[in-house]
Amino acid sequence: MRAEAIDRVTLVFTLFDANGNGHLDPEDFELMASRVTAAAEGSGEGARARMSAAFQRYWETLEGELDANGDGRITLEEYRACVLAPERFAGTVREFAEALAALGDPDGDGAIERPLFTALMRAIGFAGPNIDALFDAFGPDGEDRIAVATWVAGIEDFYAPDKAGIPGDHLVGAAV
């Protein structure tokens, strides 16, 4: 497992701990879903519901895979073990990535414009300079848009334990 992957997952754990209690629980995913869907200007109810459902599935996957003692909480160590195991988490990541990208493309043209991308990423909790560096690393077109498929693939790569030097690495630490 690459150090870069551990850094990425540690950051996501921190962001997903939306209520700041040091572990993940159902409330975190409800809070995060409400923040992200609120930032999704122009998105319809169907896309918002899909995103909320993806957050719910994310939690249910974690709980089902990791919460052996049934306490309804996931620690950082437990989280790393699950999300860095593609065979256990790939479907959940894919569903989450597709739902988030759909929010970023409310007009369905297959492209995500920087302002909405930035709003969604800020709602998750990423820092502005890092978001800009990520968007630029995705290679926006002349109209400052990226393809939906590019963002989906980028999210999947973010969770891949064997990947380094990927656009998602711009989200970890100081902006590059």
Side-chain angles (χ1 to χ4, degrees), residues 41-122:
E41 279 191 34
S43 293
E45 277 307 308
R48 291 172 196 268
R50 182 177 176 195
M51 184 78 260
S52 293
F55 272 111
Q56 180 65 32
R57 178 169 179 212
Y58 199 121
W59 168 250
E60 289 170 357
T61 299
L62 292 176
E63 184 178 40
E65 291 284 335
L66 300 175
D67 191 18
N69 66 1
D71 68 354
R73 301 183 310 182
I74 305 298
T75 66
L76 175 58
E77 293 73 28
E78 291 170 325
Y79 183 72
R80 282 182 187 158
C82 181
V83 299
L84 293 175
E87 68 280 359
R88 297 169 75 184
F89 204 64
T92 299
V93 168
R94 179 79 172 174
E95 180 181 336
F96 176 82
E98 289 174 347
L100 186 59
L103 283 181
D105 182 23
D107 60 6
D109 68 354
I112 299 167
E113 288 129 11
R114 187 184 297 259
L116 187 49
F117 179 89
T118 300
L120 293 170
M121 295 296 282
R122 280 189 186 273

Side-chain angles (χ1 to χ4, degrees), residues 158-169:
F158 192 83
Y159 285 95
D162 59 341
K163 301 264 181 151
I166 61 169
D169 287 336

Side-chain angles (χ1 to χ4, degrees), residues 134-155:
L134 173 62
F135 194 86
D136 291 340
F138 282 146
D141 65 17
E143 296 178 40
D144 208 25
R145 305 174 311 164
I146 60 169
V148 166
T150 299
W151 196 12
V152 170
I155 293 168

